[in-house]
Amino acid sequence: MNTIGPPSTRVRSWRRRRLDPDHSLGLRLTLAAAAAVLVLVPFALLALLILGAWPPLLRLDASVTGAFHGYALEHPAWVRAMAVWTHVFGPGPLRVAAAVVVVWLLRRRAPRLAVWVVTTMLVGGLLGALLKLLVGRNRPDLLEPVARAAGYSFPSGHALNAALAAGVLLLVFLPFARHNRAGRIALWITAILLTVVTGLSRIALGVHWTSDVVGGWVLGVATVAATAAGFATWRTGAGRRPARPLREGVEPELADPGPEDRRA
């Protein structure tokens, strides 16, 4: 078939293919398969090592927990700081913050992005709860615990929800910092601190193993990547330009257009 023709004809042809339902379905299936691999491979490997009680992993978990616990016993102020952090940035408060973001997005007439936020937080939370039951791992059992938590251990719900919330923070608010390098850096630092310190607080308090926290981080990042890929597919199917989520967020049009956009 001859694909040579005027530029305007080629552009119209590409747009028709992009909007074609069958083409869009194929793209969605491809993205779904890639997302499934992203979720399953690293997380499943870690879960299998835990279920198989792999000695090197168990020794690593025990040594890290022992070191943190010894420090906690000697520094009560550290324990109080970690306890405050883990409560302020726990799953409940983060879900409330996500709900506030959803209301704000609806007021800005961005309903699809609001649905993305709800989907990301909901899917990640349900996956975490289901996997806790399937793996059934016990929490650390310390002689002198400085904190207690109920339920199973893997993956860490705090680490998972912190990663989900950090992803929402970045991909929703990056459009407002597209032309502000300092703003982008501030958003990335905030997201990293939220994720890392929340996960470490669970190890410091002796209520999670290190591999629980890593599993929560991996599952959270994978969930955000999968739902963001789905949102990007919708953008393409709706005739919008492809976005660069890690620089522009998942919906660049959320913010007012900058000088470059106006010239375009």
Side-chain angles (χ1 to χ4, degrees), residues 54-198:
W54 192 48
L57 180 62
L58 298 184
R59 286 196 297 269
L60 176 63
D61 277 339
S63 63
V64 174
T65 294
F68 270 98
H69 187 59
Y71 186 85
L73 290 175
E74 297 175 1
H75 299 84
W78 161 259
V79 174
R80 288 194 294 271
M82 290 292 97
V84 169
W85 184 283
T86 204
H87 283 99
V88 171
F89 297 103
L94 291 178
R95 288 167 186 156
V96 171
V100 172
V101 171
V102 167
V103 172
W104 176 75
L105 289 171
L106 292 174
R107 290 177 62 87
R108 288 189 65 93
R109 298 181 180 179
R112 291 183 178 85
L113 190 54
V115 170
W116 174 77
V117 174
V118 172
T119 301
T120 300
M121 297 300 294
L122 184 61
V123 168
L126 290 175
L127 281 174
L130 176 61
L131 288 165
K132 276 180 182 287
L133 293 174
L134 291 175
V135 176
R137 189 187 199 187
N138 292 323
R139 294 176 183 270
D141 185 13
L142 303 172
L143 291 176
E144 300 178 69
V146 297
R148 296 187 183 276
Y152 290 120
S153 189
F154 180 87
S156 165
H158 279 69
L160 167 61
N161 281 276
L164 295 173
V168 167
L169 171 71
L170 283 173
L171 299 188
V172 169
F173 292 103
L174 275 175
F176 297 96
R178 273 185 298 166
H179 310 289
N180 183 343
R181 179 180 173 83
R184 290 199 304 271
I185 292 174
L187 280 172
W188 274 101
I189 290 175
T190 301
I192 292 170
L193 282 176
L194 170 63
T195 305
V196 173
V197 178
T198 302

Side-chain angles (χ1 to χ4, degrees), residues 36-52:
V37 171
L38 182 64
V39 172
L40 290 175
V41 171
F43 185 84
L45 177 60
L46 185 58
L48 288 173
L49 293 177
I50 290 170
L51 288 170

